[in-house]
Amino acid sequence: MDATYAPADIRYPTDLNLVNEARKLTETVIDKLHGQCGDRNPRPRTKREICRKHYLEIIKHPKCGVSKRRGALRFLLNAIRRNLEFIAKLRDRCGNIPQIIAEQLILIRTLYDQQRTMLDNHSRRIDDWIVSLHQSHYGAFS
């Protein structure tokens, strides 16, 4: 096999890294939309520090148990769900969002649905598995 055909931005698909990256992207989108609105309402509470703490706690200790890893994944998935709800409220209040952000949100929503399904079903395989948020056309490790 020739290595020139290997995709560049695809890391080993560790779900925790991918979910954390999606969480950070949703927080960036919240910041941008809140800045565009210019309203006096406070920025939604996304619990950035707490989410980062949960993520780093698992990543720094790779030999932790499966239950701790699944708990951190569940916590990060709940943070993504909450952030997507905040984004929907900001979109209703502020109007339209740029097309590129809308496409990223669709990809993050799909990633959320896939990871939640795998977590709930105790599965490690899913059709059209998203393995990169930046190159979504590389998928399907199933």
Side-chain angles (χ1 to χ4, degrees):
M1 180 184 280
D2 189 8
T4 58
Y5 292 108
D9 286 346
I10 295 180
R11 301 177 301 237
Y12 184 77
T14 58
D15 298 335
L16 212 53
N17 292 336
L18 196 60
V19 169
N20 187 57
E21 191 175 336
R23 177 194 59 84
K24 285 197 267 185
L25 275 173
T26 56
E27 290 170 355
T28 304
V29 170
I30 287 172
D31 291 342
K32 286 181 182 178
L33 287 177
H34 186 262
Q36 284 178 357
C37 285
D39 58 359
R40 295 181 182 186
N41 293 334
R43 183 178 55 82
R45 294 180 57 186
T46 58
K47 302 181 183 181
R48 296 170 199 241
E49 295 84 14
I50 297 171
C51 292
R52 180 170 166 75
K53 181 181 172 186
H54 276 275
Y55 169 71
L56 289 177
E57 186 177 302
I58 299 300
I59 292 300
K60 288 184 179 181
H61 303 287
K63 293 194 177 199
C64 68
V66 174
S67 62
K68 284 187 179 181
R69 200 171 277 279
R70 287 176 51 84
L73 185 61
R74 182 175 289 113
F75 187 85
L76 292 176
L77 284 173
N78 288 338
I80 289 175
R81 179 189 45 80
R82 185 177 54 246
N83 289 350
L84 289 173
E85 290 172 0
F86 287 147
I87 290 170
K89 289 178 185 176
L90 284 171
R91 188 181 343 180
D92 291 342
R93 210 173 348 152
C94 301
N96 292 337
I97 60 173
Q99 181 65 25
I100 188 133
I101 293 176
E103 291 171 3
Q104 282 181 340
L105 291 175
I106 290 170
L107 183 65
I108 290 171
R109 178 52 125 176
T110 305
L111 171 77
Y112 169 79
D113 291 338
Q114 286 181 353
Q115 292 295 326
R116 179 58 76 177
T117 301
M118 287 194 299
L119 184 69
D120 292 343
N121 295 337
H122 298 276
S123 171
R124 297 303 317 140
R125 294 183 141 320
I126 196 162
D127 293 336
D128 298 325
W129 191 3
I130 295 175
V131 294
S132 174
L133 291 176
H134 302 291
Q135 294 180 345
S136 62
H137 54 279
Y138 294 119
F141 267 156
S142 54

